[in-house]
Amino acid sequence: PAVKAAVAVWAEATTSTGLARQADIRREKQRSVEAFFSLVKVGPGEVTPQDVQTWLREMAKRGLKPTTIYARACHLSSFFQWAMRETALGQTLRGNPVRYAMPKAPKPYQSRSTKSLTDEQVVKLLKVVRDRATQ
């Protein structure tokens, strides 16, 4: 229960306000970290890099995409960084165990064959859509 409460406080404190999807983002962050603690069944001060690696492998076995796994690992790392800085819990932590088990960042979505639109292209596209909508 104490870890769950700490996770909720962390998710609230580290999620930017004013985002349209703020509640969804906060919920996803909480679920990620709570799922980790549910799997490893140890308190934050007892977590090892091996525990993190086990969690990462479990997510990969379930077929989650590398980008999802990386995002969830980032959430967990953020939780430990926050806890070390902001709470009494930080006094029981020896460091951030995620740091030693962090997967490589996935390659960007953009490649030679798939490129995102530039800001200028987006503006032009919006103008065309608006013009057609008013016709």
Side-chain angles (χ1 to χ4, degrees), residues 7-74:
V7 170
V9 172
W10 158 78
E12 180 71 32
T14 60
T15 303
S16 297
T17 57
L19 296 175
R21 295 184 45 241
Q22 180 182 358
D24 293 337
I25 293 168
R26 188 174 52 249
R27 199 170 19 259
E28 177 58 31
K29 289 167 78 171
Q30 281 182 251
R31 283 184 193 147
S32 297
V33 176
E34 288 172 0
F36 169 78
F37 284 107
S38 177
L39 176 74
V40 299
K41 296 185 183 358
V42 296
E46 303 165 57
V47 173
T48 66
Q50 292 79 14
D51 293 327
V52 177
Q53 289 173 337
T54 298
W55 181 57
L56 297 171
R57 282 192 300 272
E58 181 64 31
M59 288 189 288
K61 268 195 246 176
R62 290 190 354 240
L64 295 178
K65 294 183 179 187
T67 52
T68 301
I69 294 170
Y70 183 76
R72 290 180 181 180
C74 288

Side-chain angles (χ1 to χ4, degrees), residues 110 115-126:
Q110 190 163 303
K115 295 218 180 265
S116 60
L117 297 175
T118 66
D119 289 343
E120 184 178 290
Q121 290 170 323
V122 170
V123 169
K124 286 180 182 178
L125 178 61
L126 284 173

